Amino acid sequence: MSDPSDRPIEHLLRELAPQVLSPVVRRFRDFAAAEDAVQEALIAATAQWPREGVPANPRAWLIQVASRRMADHIRSEVARRHREQVAAEETERLALPVDAFTETGEDDALVLLFMCCHPALTPASAIALTLRAVGGLTTAEIANAFLVPEATMAQRITRAKQSIKESGIPFQLPTAEDRAQRLRAVLHVLYLIFNEGYASSAGPHLRRADLSDEAIRLTRIVYHRQSDNEVAGLLALMLLTDARRAARTGPDGELIPLAQQNRTLWDRQQIAEGIALLSAVLPKGSVGPYQLQAAIAAVHDEAARAEDTDWSQILALYDLLKRMSDNPMILLNHAIAAAMVHGPRKGLELLGALDSDPRLAERHRLEAVRAHLLEMAGEHEAAITHYRSAASRAPSIPERNYLMLQAARLSESTDHKAPD
Amino acid sequence: MKFILMMTAKKADWDEYTKWSKGDLERNVAFMRAFSKELKDSGVFVATEGLAWPGEAKMVHAGKNGEPITDGVFPESKEFLAGYWIIDVESPEQAYKIAARVSAAPGPGGKSGSLPVEVRPVLGSHADLGL
């Protein structure tokens, strides 16, 4: 991953993307075509600006190029439809000078986010469209990040735009009554983008870590335009989690669990920012799940050594979180916290309830936690069995390797002790 | 989540295949082409390849000095990989549905087939045990 400051043009383009797209959509009233036109304008800028220099007014330049593309598009559409009336109207629209639609709306990026993260879209479509329309990433970059062919990603984006068209989602901020629910949908998509980048920053696909940066950037945009405690909570959660990125994997991409991470590698500046955000919103009340998760991340980040972790506080936070959502992943983490406070037996007892929970799709995590707690309880044989069972169900290579190594380590140390 | 759909057939099925009528073959090829296009159009396609006849395959193992020792004899009962698709979908159920569609590709006499298709998750690069 390269430092964004090494890529000033790319950085600028990503920032300008929503500010260019919004006025073009407003003018031409065709989101799907406008989004394509802006993508082409961004690609043209990527090719031209490094050679010819950044224009004095880059935003106006992009709007101009995108509008020209739109004009071409409309002319061919009109020719196709042979509709004289439409032609007259559209020609009129094309004749308007660029500065007639360069007024900038404060909420441009926000309107686009609400649209791209509409609950009518599948998560995969919403993620792809958000990254392109609001994030200004190219289809190729998004395809790379998700390890699918560019044509597949292009098709996903086209289909997402079709869904938007079909469901008649208007290009405006949601009404006051819908706002809270729609904001949750936006935050969820941003959370998924972050996770995709964070969880994949190990292994052979280092470039995917870019997705975490992008999620943080987009969440900041929402944070600056929307006063909502959960937005601050999500931004804090991302910063406090991402702060550990450099420490969570070894030189060969192997997974290093929290307890064994070299904490001097944690990004102190990001931790400080996350904690400041959180401290500003927590006293306001109406604490939501993102704030609670951020608070848990903060407790971990504040411990100088793993053994200094304030597990009672973490357990209390998970107790609150559990009351808000019965998500099995929360129950799993709650069991770990309970084990750290009350001993592994207590944790194992809580895990029992999850065995028959059909919603826990990631069975390997349950097995991994059980193995870990059994090891804490000194039941090494059973721990080895569960580490192996977890490894056989792991959905990724780093996780499988990690779990197999745990089983091997324990198995060798147990064999070693056997003769005594 | 990514899945690989592996279509397999026994030696007898391969031998049978060489005897299909022109119409049967055309229907099957048209179906496979439409199937791949469908995967692409719905934004789930990652990769696909068809494999050469099992008769073209060699079993290779390393000899004492690491030299390749090849063997071309295959047991009658073995299932041979005929081809695969890798797809990126939202759920295992969606993968099973797609696998069932291709399993039912038209066979001799234009009748829907029922070839076994093994569906298996492709390991990702995620590393997040939450520990």
Side-chain angles (χ1 to χ4, degrees):
Chain A
M1 209 194 68
S2 51
D3 181 340
S5 59
D6 295 342
R7 307 170 293 183
I9 289 179
E10 189 180 317
H11 209 56
L12 176 65
L13 289 173
R14 286 187 185 182
E15 219 150 87
L16 287 174
Q19 299 174 38
V20 172
L21 177 53
S22 289
V24 178
V25 176
R26 276 199 207 97
R27 176 70 23 168
F28 294 97
R29 286 177 251 147
D30 180 343
F31 173 72
E35 204 274 332
D36 281 334
V38 169
Q39 174 82 182
E40 286 177 43
L42 293 173
I43 290 171
T46 312
Q48 271 186 42
W49 293 3
R51 271 200 328 264
E52 295 163 18
V54 176
N57 186 344
R59 184 167 166 264
W61 189 98
L62 290 164
I63 291 176
Q64 182 105 48
V65 173
S67 300
R68 237 180 267 140
R69 296 279 195 274
M70 279 306 284
D72 293 343
H73 168 76
I74 289 165
R75 276 190 206 102
S76 68
E77 277 291 286
V78 168
R80 197 171 62 82
R81 289 193 219 141
H82 301 291
R83 275 170 37 188
E84 304 281 322
Q85 184 54 36
V86 176
E89 278 174 20
E90 296 293 359
T91 311
E92 214 170 283
R93 205 181 343 251
L94 295 181
L96 285 167
V98 165
D99 59 2
F101 57 96
T102 49
E103 84 282 2
T104 158
E106 253 294 282
D107 290 338
D108 280 354
L110 206 54
V111 173
L112 284 169
L113 269 171
F114 274 117
M115 195 158 169
C116 297
C117 301
H118 194 276
L121 303 181
T122 62
S125 311
I127 288 170
L129 190 58
T130 298
L131 287 172
R132 205 172 96 144
V134 196
L137 269 69
T138 64
T139 312
E141 285 171 325
I142 305 166
N144 256 338
F146 288 89
L147 309 171
V148 299
E150 189 177 341
T152 296
M153 196 47 82
Q155 202 54 37
R156 223 173 260 180
I157 290 164
T158 303
R159 286 170 66 90
K161 290 197 284 194
Q162 265 165 15
S163 305
I164 286 182
K165 207 168 192 174
E166 282 156 19
S167 38
I169 302 164
F171 187 68
Q172 59 194 40
L173 288 174
T175 58
E177 61 208 44
D178 284 350
R179 193 126 165 173
Q181 185 222 342
R182 294 281 302 279
L183 184 61
R184 292 294 158 265
V186 170
L187 297 186
H188 183 60
V189 170
L190 297 176
Y191 176 79
L192 291 177
I193 294 173
F194 175 80
N195 238 8
E196 188 65 32
Y198 183 73
S200 310
S201 54
H205 307 297
L206 283 167
R207 294 193 52 213
R208 305 179 77 195
D210 258 357
L211 288 178
S212 313
D213 294 337
E214 193 52 28
I216 290 173
R217 191 177 74 81
L218 294 174
T219 309
R220 274 190 207 282
I221 291 176
V222 184
Y223 172 74
H224 289 305
R225 287 164 180 78
Q226 195 80 24
S227 79
D228 178 286
N229 294 353
E230 276 293 84
V231 179
L234 177 60
L235 182 54
L237 173 61
M238 289 177 178
L239 291 166
L240 292 166
T241 308
D242 191 61
R244 303 182 210 129
R245 197 200 282 182
R248 69 187 293 272
T249 49
D252 300 315
E254 71 274 21
L255 195 56
I256 303 175
L258 197 49
Q260 282 143 41
Q261 287 175 13
N262 174 357
R263 297 183 179 220
T264 61
L265 295 175
W266 290 0
D267 187 328
R268 291 291 146 197
Q269 209 180 325
Q270 251 178 272
I271 293 173
E273 191 192 350
I275 289 174
L277 279 165
L278 202 55
S279 314
V281 290
L282 282 180
K284 290 189 195 163
S286 77
V287 175
Y290 288 126
Q291 290 163 79
L292 284 175
Q293 290 178 73
I296 291 164
V299 177
H300 282 298
D301 288 354
E302 281 171 328
R305 298 170 308 162
E307 52 270 41
D308 300 333
T309 309
D310 185 349
W311 283 103
S312 323
Q313 206 188 337
I314 291 177
L315 181 58
L317 290 164
Y318 271 119
D319 276 329
L320 286 174
L321 200 51
K322 224 171 61 154
R323 262 180 252 161
M324 266 174 225
S325 149
D326 64 346
N327 177 320
M329 285 309 293
I330 290 171
L331 299 179
L332 195 58
N333 288 320
H334 175 259
I336 299 175
M340 297 307 285
V341 176
H342 302 298
R345 289 280 149 227
K346 180 69 192 165
L348 287 164
E349 186 191 313
L350 290 167
L351 289 186
L354 283 166
D355 274 329
S356 52
D357 193 330
R359 293 166 310 155
L360 185 65
E362 291 163 309
R363 307 306 295 184
H364 75 289
R365 291 204 190 184
L366 173 59
E367 288 296 278
V369 170
R370 178 167 283 137
H372 181 67
L373 299 186
L374 283 166
E375 184 181 350
M376 271 173 71
E379 288 188 42
H380 289 186
E381 285 304 328
I384 292 166
T385 307
H386 288 282
Y387 274 129
R388 286 181 182 150
S389 151
S392 71
R393 293 161 190 227
S396 82
I397 293 168
E399 282 166 279
R400 186 167 75 182
N401 290 348
Y402 172 81
L403 293 163
M404 302 236 300
L405 282 171
Q406 297 310 305
R409 170 186 55 79
L410 207 50
S411 166
E412 278 159 31
S413 69
T414 308
D415 289 348
H416 225 63
K417 280 178 198 148
D420 309 341
Chain B
M1 47 189 88
K2 292 198 179 99
F3 290 88
I4 185 165
L5 317 185
M6 292 177 282
M7 185 170 254
T8 57
K10 290 202 168 93
K11 189 167 178 299
D13 299 320
W14 287 88
D15 292 343
E16 185 65 29
Y17 187 47
T18 59
K19 295 169 194 151
W20 281 20
S21 73
K22 184 165 170 280
D24 289 342
L25 284 171
E26 279 167 357
R27 260 189 298 275
N28 188 267
V29 168
F31 175 91
M32 289 301 181
R33 201 174 290 140
F35 177 72
S36 275
K37 186 174 184 309
E38 213 175 278
L39 294 183
K40 284 173 186 159
D41 289 349
S42 55
V44 302
F45 176 83
V46 179
T48 182
E49 295 293 348
L51 304 189
W53 229 248
E56 300 297 309
K58 291 276 181 280
M59 271 305 184
V60 180
H61 67 270
K64 266 191 200 131
N65 302 313
E67 77 282 13
I69 297 178
T70 61
D71 186 356
V73 185
F74 300 100
E76 287 287 323
S77 60
K78 192 176 177 317
E79 297 273 358
F80 292 102
L81 187 64
Y84 68 84
W85 296 264
I86 296 177
I87 54 174
D88 185 15
V89 291
E90 308 256 352
S91 67
E93 289 69 29
Q94 198 186 342
Y96 302 154
K97 229 168 133 177
I98 292 171
R101 242 186 81 59
V102 75
S103 164
K111 272 192 285 180
S112 281
S114 183
L115 272 181
V117 178
E118 182 178 335
V119 180
R120 223 203 278 181
V122 173
L123 287 180
S125 59
H126 285 71
D128 187 14
L129 279 174
L131 287 176

